[in-house]
């Protein structure tokens, strides 16, 4: 490089003497040619510390031309090298290596992993930032950690890996919905899900409990890294959409060098982690005789075990994935291509998810100053769902889901006829149990969703001046979904068939979301000062439409829902919405002597869906950091390698709290009437206008400490935060005289305070390498205010909102055993001898609502994650633990299955029910008729420790044509330590609800799995 600069300078200043000097050097060179050192060809191989070959490594003389790149096998060859020349070996993620050429011509070169380089850069909003210069709270997760377990959804791979991020698998069905909470729940009626951004494309995670998660349409294997922005300083750059945190997902792109081919595949088997113990046929028959005081089953003991309906609907199910990726390129153009097929069959019969995804990226340097690129990710997802979930708040409707039906179904009946067809329960035992649907019949219902989705990003980046860059992004999220449903006549018994039997539906959903961003970046060093300015103008629009038809009354099942015109009754509906958001943002990052840092951010957002008086909002933030390690008094210390103090404060918003048009006066169908003896379709007001409706606004203060010792062999991060969210959207009830039921407004506030601690360590660094990571999070949530002077708001028979308490609290009676013979039964209890007794807390000799109290809450006291990675030679072993402690679960399904109304099965514990001969003080008698009050008996400890994953891998020996290879075996959810009696302590029947959490009314249960996998680099 220096030689080239001197040559250019020489040409500019000595044009008049160039010919004479050339002749002089030519003659001198000829005379002394015999004294020149001979040149040779140098060759060799470059490998990593683990012995794997490294393609794409740049090899060049340190002060001269003649660079080359290692090929797919890590080999290189470079001509014209003389003894004494210094060769420089460089590759992304590895420490540079200098090698002085001696008399040898063949070399074996080993590059060390550059851990500092790998952790040097953090992805932040609209750019990157050196880790040392960050002031906010940003957590980074590598792709290898995310995909360590077989997942269909990237959020699953984040569980327990990042402090302050709580992941709840609301529904463990293939592609099922997941709730993500960053530093607590921040809303009441609105969304508390973070903003997901995939290569600049903004994705909203949400939907109902039974929906396919939007993140399940994206292939996790395409992800390079995930950066989670948690505090206001880091998230304020996204303004009105950042109150719940931001998850930045960066996908893999091509790199210059030899074309690489990577093949990843795995196959595994899943099964349910636990089943519930129910009465067998003999026990059920005895219960029926008790409930109805009748000899329904003359000889119960002769019935034996009967049918285990859980065994009928639950199965072992395969899961598999196959990924092929190709990447490479030259100096000006790089590319990457990948294709993936993923198939997960559910552990409940007739449920599955399959996904085919394709991804392509292309980056091209048009010139030294202009760069452009495109990335396209497209997927086709096919989901066959079953109704595993029940009505969340009502224990009496537990049979509306297949698992509830399986638990309720009498074990004295059978699922199939002799010919293998479904045997409807209503056709058995003289139709006595026709109110319980057949679980097999429910599984036969069609409930299929086909989702096509494309994420497209196009950018142009131009270097306007030496320190000034402009980048234009245009992003599109395009999806279409077809939902098919059909309930066949064949699953109905004779007593159930009528002219309206058989139901079908079709729904088409289309979304088109686009976003344009213009980003101007100025980055300049002024001696010890560094100034970086980022300015953004963004505009985006979200377009949604759906149309659907439902029908019933089919003559037969021949055409299912493909000929809805054959039905007797049909209903159609359609809907269309549009919303827009315009934004202006500025950020200044200032650094002094790599020691003191200041970040100032401000964003101004305008959203169409808010009231006319509050269309625009302003969201500022400030962050400061002091790298104490750079101070003179720590420069020469031998054990502290990093010490940084951080503090931030800022405001963000939650525009996702409401849908479009809720600030406007709305009208809709539904008020039909008779006019002149004719049936007329009516339109009536459905929404009251609110010009003052605005987004929820969070302000957050945080302090953090980064601490490393022994050359960063052990690192700690400690962060404490205090976040208050005001103007929470809340539905306020209105008097009926107003003509409306309710109005949506900004009527509440909430607070989250917490502490997060994480640590990572390189415990052993010799032949046996051992790395470990641990984190623990504490969050305390409190409702500060509700509408007006309201201090308590009843949500359902067991949950309330109460000012001064956290969200997710349970308010019930207190269980006090069973009424024994001769005891006085208090008025209002609705009980009888042998029935449930609750405490008279106010001692007024009767049971009323005043005898209820707060008996539990669903928020954990703390969550923990721990991972360990060991490597010795070709072997590697890793495991990952997750723990949640101190939360309660309201087991609504247990409430239902400890009731004995007759006609449905109950938990096995009811075999020990009260009777005059068995004065049990725990289980009520069989002749209570289902009269069981909602009490704290059904509030259980939801704490658990779970081995999320354990994997053993072996690096394959060198094989011709293969640069690297690895086989592994992995077990997931292998065991869970918990006292919870339900299927799984990681449960929430209310899906993404912010207020009613930790309720179990039976959802699709979690599975454990064992898989084998293969990774090959070609």
């Amino acid at each position: 490089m220096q030689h080239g600069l001197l040559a250019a300078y020489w040409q500019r200043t000595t044009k008049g003497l160039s010919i004479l000097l050339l002749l002089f050097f030519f003659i001198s060179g000829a005379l002394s040619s015999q004294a020149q050192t001979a040149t040779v060809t140098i060759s060799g191989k470059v490998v990593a510390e683990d012995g794997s070959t490294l393609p794409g490594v740049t090899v060049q003389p340190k002060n001269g031309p003649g660079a080359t790149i290692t090929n797919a096998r890590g080999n290189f060859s470079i001509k014209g090298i003389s003894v004494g020349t210094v060769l420089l070996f460089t590759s992304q993620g590895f420490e540079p290596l200098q090698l002085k050429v001696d008399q040898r011509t063949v070399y074996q070169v080993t590059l060390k992993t550059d851990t500092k380089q790998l952790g040097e850069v953090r992805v932040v909003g609209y750019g990157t930032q050196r880790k040392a210069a960050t002031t906010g709270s940003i957590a980074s997760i590598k792709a290898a950690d995310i995909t360590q377990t077989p997942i269909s959804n990237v959020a699953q791979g984040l569980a327990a890996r990042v402090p302050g991020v709580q992941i709840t698998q609301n529904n463990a069905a293939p592609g099922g919905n997941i709730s993500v909470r960053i530093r607590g729940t921040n809303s009441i009626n609105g969304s508390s899900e973070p903003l997901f951004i995939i290569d600049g494309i903004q994705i909203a995670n949400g939907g109902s409990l039974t929906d396919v998660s939007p993140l399940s349409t994206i292939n996790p294997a395409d992800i390079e890294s995930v950066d989670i922005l948690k505090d206001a300083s880091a998230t304020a750059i996204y303004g009105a959409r950042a109150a719940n945190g931001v998850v930045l997902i960066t996908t893999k792109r091509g790199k210059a060098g030899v074309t690489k081919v990577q093949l990843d595949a795995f196959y595994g088997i899943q099964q349910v982690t636990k089943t519930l113990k129910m009465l067998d046929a003999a026990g059920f028959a005895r219960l029926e005789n008790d409930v109805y005081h009748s000899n329904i089953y003359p000889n119960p003991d002769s019935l034996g075990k009967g049918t285990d309906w859980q065994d009928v609907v639950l199965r072992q199910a395969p899961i598999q994935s196959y990924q092929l990726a190709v990447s490479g390129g030259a100096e000006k153009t790089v590319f990457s291509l990948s294709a993936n097929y993923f198939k997960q069959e559910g552990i409940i019969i007739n449920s599955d998810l399959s996904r085919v995804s394709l991804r392509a990226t292309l980056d091209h340097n048009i010139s030294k100053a202009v760069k452009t690129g495109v990335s396209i990710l497209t997927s086709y997802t096919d989901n066959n769902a079953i109704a595993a979930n029940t009505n969340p708040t009502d224990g009496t409707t537990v049979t509306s889901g297949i698992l509830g039906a399986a638990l309720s179904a009498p074990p004295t009946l059978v699922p199939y006829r002799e010919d293998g067809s479904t045997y409807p329960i209503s056709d058995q035992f003289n139709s006595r149990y026709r109110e319980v649907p057949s679980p097999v019949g429910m599984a036969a219902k069609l409930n299929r969703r086909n989702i096509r989705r494309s994420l497209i990003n196009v950018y142009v980046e131009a270097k306007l001046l030496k320190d000034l860059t402009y980048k234009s992004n245009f992003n599109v999220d395009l999806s279409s979904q077809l939902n098919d449903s059909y309930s066949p006549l064949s699953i109905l018994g004779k007593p159930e068939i009528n002219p309206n039997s058989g139901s079908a539906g079709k729904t088409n959903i289309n979304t088109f979301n686009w976003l344009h961003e213009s980003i101007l970046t100025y980055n300049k060093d002024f001696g010890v000062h560094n100034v970086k300015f980022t300015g953004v103008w963004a505009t985006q629009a979200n377009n949604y439409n759906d149309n659907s038809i439902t029908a019933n009354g089919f003559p037969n099942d021949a055409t299912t829902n493909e000929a809805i015109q054959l039905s007797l009754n049909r209903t159609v509906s359609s809907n269309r919405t549009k919303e827009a958001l315009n934004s202006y943002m500025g950020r200044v990052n200032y650094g002094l002597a790599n020691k003191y840092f200041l970040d100032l951010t401000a964003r101004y957002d305008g959203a169409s869906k808010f009231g006319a008086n509050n269309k625009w909002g302003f969201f500022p933030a400030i962050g400061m950091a002091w790298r104490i390690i750079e101070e003179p008094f720590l420069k020469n210390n031998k054990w502290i390698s990093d010490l940084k103090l951080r503090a931030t404060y800022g405001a963000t918003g939650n525009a996702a709290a409401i849908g479009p048009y809720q600030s406007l006066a709305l009208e809709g169908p539904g008020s039909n009437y008779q006019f002149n003896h004719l049936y007329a379709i009516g339109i009536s007001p459905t929404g009251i206008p609110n010009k003052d409706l605005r987004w929820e606004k969070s302000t957050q203060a945080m302090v953090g400490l980064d601490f490393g010792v022994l050359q960063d062999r052990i690192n700690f991060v400690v962060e404490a935060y205090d976040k208050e969210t005001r103007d929470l959207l809340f539905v306020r009830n209105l008097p009926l005289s107003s003509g409306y039921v309710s109005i949506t407004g900004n009527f509440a506030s909430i607070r989250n305070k917490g502490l997060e601690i994480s640590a990572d360590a390189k415990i052993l660094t010799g032949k046996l390498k051992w790395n470990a990571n641990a984190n623990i999070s504490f969050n305390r949530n409190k409702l500060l205010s509700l509408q007006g002077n309201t201090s308590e708001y009843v949500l359902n028979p067991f949950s309330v909102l109460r000012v001064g308490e956290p969200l997710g609290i349970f308010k019930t009676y207190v269980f006090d055993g069973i009424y024994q013979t001769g005891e006085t039964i208090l008025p209002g209890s609705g009980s009888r001898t042998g029935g449930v007794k609750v405490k008279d807390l106010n001692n007024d000799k009767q049971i009323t609502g005043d005898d209820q109290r707060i008996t539990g809450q669903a928020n954990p006291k703390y969550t923990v994650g721990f991972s360990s990675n060991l490597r010795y030679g070709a072997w590697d072993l890793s495991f990952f633990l997750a723990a949640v402690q101190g939360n309660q679960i309201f087991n609504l399904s247990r409430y239902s299955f400890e009731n004995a109304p007759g006609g449905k099965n109950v938990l096995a514990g009811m075999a020990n029910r009260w009777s005059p001969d068995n004065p049990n003080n725990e289980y009520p008698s069989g002749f209570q008729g289902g009269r069981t009050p909602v009490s704290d008996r059904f509030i259980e400890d939801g704490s658990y420790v779970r081995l999320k994953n354990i994997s053993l891998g072996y690096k394959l020996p060198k094989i011709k044509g293969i640069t690297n290879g690895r086989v592994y075996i992995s077990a997931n959810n292998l065991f869970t330590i918990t006292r919870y009696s339900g299927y799984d302590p990681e449960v929430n029947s209310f899906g993404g609800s912010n207020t009613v959490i930790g309720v179990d009314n039976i959802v699709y249960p979690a599975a454990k799995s064992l898989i084998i996998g293969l990774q090959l680099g070609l």
Side-chain angles (χ1 to χ4, degrees), residues 99 110 155-156 163 166 242 335 363 366 434 608 632 788 825 979 1009:
L99 174 68
T110 301
Q156 292 172 313
Q166 184 177 0
F335 73 94
D363 299 282
I366 299 175
R434 63 183 176 185
S608 62
I825 298 171
R979 291 186 292 180
S1009 62

Side-chain angles (χ1 to χ4, degrees), residues 140-441:
S140 295
I141 307 97
K142 295 179 293 186
D145 294 330
I146 298 170
T147 56
Q148 186 173 339
T149 57
I151 57 175
S152 62
N153 185 319
V154 61
Q156 292 172 313
L158 302 178
R161 295 193 179 277
V162 180
V165 180
Q166 184 177 0
I167 310 292
T168 303
Q169 180 78 59
N170 300 320
N171 178 5
N177 210 282
I178 291 177
S179 288
V180 182
R181 297 289 182 269
I182 297 178
R183 292 185 169 174
T185 299
N186 305 300
S187 186
I188 293 180
N189 291 117
S191 172
S192 283
E193 297 291 326
L195 175 65
F196 287 82
I197 300 177
I198 303 174
D199 289 340
I201 303 172
Q202 299 182 5
I203 303 295
N205 182 46
S208 69
L209 183 67
T210 57
D211 284 344
V212 174
S213 170
L215 296 175
S216 291
T217 62
I218 298 162
N219 176 22
D222 284 327
I223 293 171
E224 180 75 27
S225 65
V226 176
D227 292 84
I228 301 177
L229 315 183
K230 296 187 288 184
D231 75 313
S233 176
T235 61
I237 199 165
Y238 291 104
R241 303 193 66 184
N244 303 321
V246 180
V247 180
L248 299 175
I249 298 174
T250 304
T251 61
K252 297 173 181 177
R253 303 189 81 91
K255 296 179 176 65
V258 176
T259 299
K260 298 180 182 179
V261 179
Q262 182 71 30
L263 173 65
D264 296 312
F266 68 74
Y267 183 90
I269 296 295
Q270 312 160 93
Q271 67 180 43
V272 70
T273 58
K274 177 184 179 181
T275 56
L276 303 185
K277 293 182 179 179
M278 310 299 289
L279 290 179
D280 60 15
F284 174 77
R286 285 190 288 269
L287 176 66
E288 287 288 275
N289 290 344
D290 281 354
V291 170
Y292 294 103
H293 298 281
S294 175
N295 199 24
I296 299 171
Y297 292 93
N299 187 8
D301 291 335
S302 66
L303 300 175
K305 297 294 184 181
T307 300
D308 184 343
W309 288 93
Q310 291 179 90
D311 187 57
V312 171
V313 300
L314 295 170
R315 64 180 178 182
Q316 286 190 341
I319 180 173
Q320 55 193 308
S321 176
Y322 308 94
Q323 166 107 353
L324 180 65
V326 182
S327 64
E331 181 181 353
K332 285 192 173 184
T333 305
V334 294
F335 73 94
S336 68
L337 300 169
S338 68
N340 173 261
Y341 173 73
F342 175 84
K343 176 70 177 288
Q344 181 182 11
E345 295 189 24
I347 58 174
I348 297 180
I349 57 175
N350 293 350
S351 63
D352 63 70
L353 178 138
S354 60
R355 180 185 63 229
V356 177
S357 63
L358 300 171
R359 183 175 173 276
T361 70
L362 182 68
D363 299 282
H364 177 67
N365 292 312
I366 299 175
S367 67
K368 291 184 178 180
V370 181
K371 180 180 180 181
T372 186
V374 61
S375 65
I376 301 174
L377 191 158
T378 185
S379 66
Y380 176 78
T381 304
D382 189 0
N383 175 236
N384 288 306
I386 48 89
N389 313 296
T390 63
N391 187 319
T393 61
D394 190 353
T396 63
T397 62
V398 70
T399 58
S400 62
I402 187 171
L403 279 179
L407 296 174
S408 301
T412 55
L413 307 183
V414 295
Y416 302 106
R417 292 188 173 94
E418 291 184 0
D419 62 1
S421 62
T422 300
Y423 198 174
I425 286 179
S426 60
D427 282 349
Q428 302 182 53
F429 210 87
N430 298 320
S431 300
R432 181 179 184 88
Y433 301 109
R434 63 183 176 185
E435 293 184 1
V436 178
S438 167
V440 176

